[in-house]
Amino acid sequence: MKTWVVRMGKAGGEARQYLEEAAVRLWPQLDDLFSFGDADEETLLRFGIIAFGSAECQKRWEEQVKVIFGQAGLLWPGEIPLSGRDGRLGQHDPALAQLLETMTEVYRLDPVARW
């Protein structure tokens, strides 16, 4: 993925425009990425199920993605805003229903078919 982001960013024109627009649209939804939902983070850490908590996970992700943005010549969108939703608790953006509808359309035509 890194390769594609860098190539699109450096390509300029329409490719870069799509990439920039996608980053702007997706940025407000990223806080969900670092959520453990209703899992007790401290317990997960104590028993070694996870190596680090959600704050450290976000920090490491940002460190890596900032490098990619820099290589692609993209501006860093800034701090990830809180969306007020948590997908791991079933709180999803309304666009997810439309996405799932599209992604399962063929399956729903014949649910007993073997794919």
Side-chain angles (χ1 to χ4, degrees):
M1 179 147 155
K2 171 187 173 183
T3 301
W4 283 108
V5 171
V6 172
R7 284 184 181 182
M8 288 177 70
K10 288 184 174 183
E14 196 173 332
R16 182 184 178 89
Q17 180 182 345
Y18 284 143
L19 188 60
E20 289 172 338
E21 290 171 1
V24 167
R25 280 194 321 271
L26 293 174
W27 211 253
Q29 300 176 38
L30 286 177
D31 67 321
D32 249 6
L33 186 62
F34 310 104
S35 167
F36 291 115
D38 60 358
D40 180 6
E41 189 173 316
E42 291 303 317
T43 301
L44 295 173
L45 285 164
R46 187 172 59 249
F47 286 101
I49 296 170
I50 57 175
F52 43 83
S54 60
E56 180 67 18
C57 182
Q58 180 173 343
K59 178 180 167 249
R60 291 179 182 205
W61 180 87
E62 286 182 5
E63 288 170 354
Q64 292 180 19
V65 176
K66 279 181 182 179
V67 171
I68 296 169
F69 269 56
Q71 291 172 344
L74 299 172
L75 294 176
W76 182 248
E79 187 174 328
I80 297 171
L82 296 176
S83 69
R85 289 185 301 271
D86 189 332
R88 295 188 195 276
L89 298 176
Q91 304 163 352
H92 301 290
D93 185 282
L96 179 63
Q98 181 182 357
L99 175 64
L100 292 174
E101 183 76 18
T102 300
M103 291 176 65
T104 60
E105 183 176 39
V106 174
Y107 170 78
R108 286 181 286 104
L109 290 173
D110 189 357
V112 295
R114 294 185 60 129
W115 300 96

